[in-house]
Amino acid sequence: MFTIQNLSASIDDQSILKGVSLEISPGQTHAIMGPNGSGKSTLAHTIMGNGAYQVTQGTITFDGISLEKLPVHQRAKHGIFVSFQQPPAIPGLGVFNLLKEIRQAASNGAIDFGAFEKEIKNYLELLHMDHSFLERSC
Ligand code: ADP
Ligand code: MG
């Protein structure tokens, strides 16, 4: 369960989010829609813990854990992620190596390489993506 209660956040003392509440049960997908500048990205960055955004009131709870005081990397370890709207390209860094580094960092170093490769290839099948995607530069 992911729950936001009465969340307010500001940027440079300018109030942007004003009392947002939201509840998402396991297995649900929610789409938040609104005009440009209405605060969608601000909400995503505030959930992730981006330091540019200050929580002025409210709570963010994921599976019973209070996220609003945790640093970004600890929120990431609980599975919180904000995808990039304009991802930078890094020539030479392949998708597979990036995913492997992320998994290694999230599991404190030790991963079963073969099992990880199998897992990633299963996801490619599931999403009907070509295996060459793994070699593409991020
Ligand atoms: P959306 O994603 O819904 O288009 P944003 O969250 O990007 O909306 O923006 C919400 C409001 O916060 C806008 O008025 C925007 O100008 C302001 N804002 C967003 N990011 C910043 C920032 N880094 N500094 C100052 N104001 C910002
Ligand atoms: Mg946005």
Side-chain angles (χ1 to χ4, degrees), residues 34 50 57 77 85 95-96 124 127 138:
N50 183 328
Q57 68 166 8
K77 283 194 172 179
Q85 288 185 331
V95 172
F96 183 78
L124 287 180
L127 298 169
C138 312

Side-chain angles (χ1 to χ4, degrees), residues 31-41 43 85:
I32 297 174
M33 300 169 71
N36 273 347
S38 59
K40 305 178 297 293
S41 295
L43 177 62
Q85 288 185 331

Side-chain angles (χ1 to χ4, degrees), residues 5-136:
Q5 275 177 328
N6 201 25
L7 182 69
S8 294
S10 55
I11 308 166
D12 295 336
D13 291 330
Q14 184 194 340
S15 168
I16 308 285
L17 301 181
K18 295 162 188 162
V20 176
S21 295
L22 174 71
E23 199 167 280
I24 302 178
S25 299
Q28 289 183 343
T29 302
H30 286 233
I32 297 174
M33 300 169 71
N36 273 347
S38 59
K40 305 178 297 293
S41 295
T42 299
L43 177 62
H45 288 298
T46 303
I47 292 168
M48 192 73 243
N50 183 328
Y53 303 81
Q54 298 88 44
V55 171
T56 52
Q57 68 166 8
T59 57
I60 308 168
T61 315
F62 183 48
D63 282 347
I65 299 159
S66 290
L67 295 184
E68 68 276 353
K69 299 246 157 46
L70 294 183
V72 174
H73 71 281
Q74 284 186 22
R75 298 186 201 207
K77 283 194 172 179
H78 290 299
I80 306 296
F81 178 75
V82 176
S83 66
F84 297 101
Q85 288 185 331
Q86 290 152 326
I90 307 172
L93 176 62
V95 172
F96 183 78
N97 279 328
L98 176 66
L99 293 174
K100 179 169 66 68
E101 290 298 322
I102 291 169
R103 173 60 65 84
Q104 262 169 348
S107 54
N108 297 320
I111 65 164
D112 177 338
F113 186 81
F116 177 69
E117 192 173 14
K118 221 179 206 170
E119 182 186 342
I120 293 297
K121 288 188 171 165
N122 281 341
Y123 284 128
L124 287 180
E125 303 288 334
L126 191 70
L127 298 169
H128 305 292
M129 292 171 75
D130 196 277
H131 283 210
S132 63
F133 178 74
L134 293 180
E135 307 308 325
R136 213 175 71 177

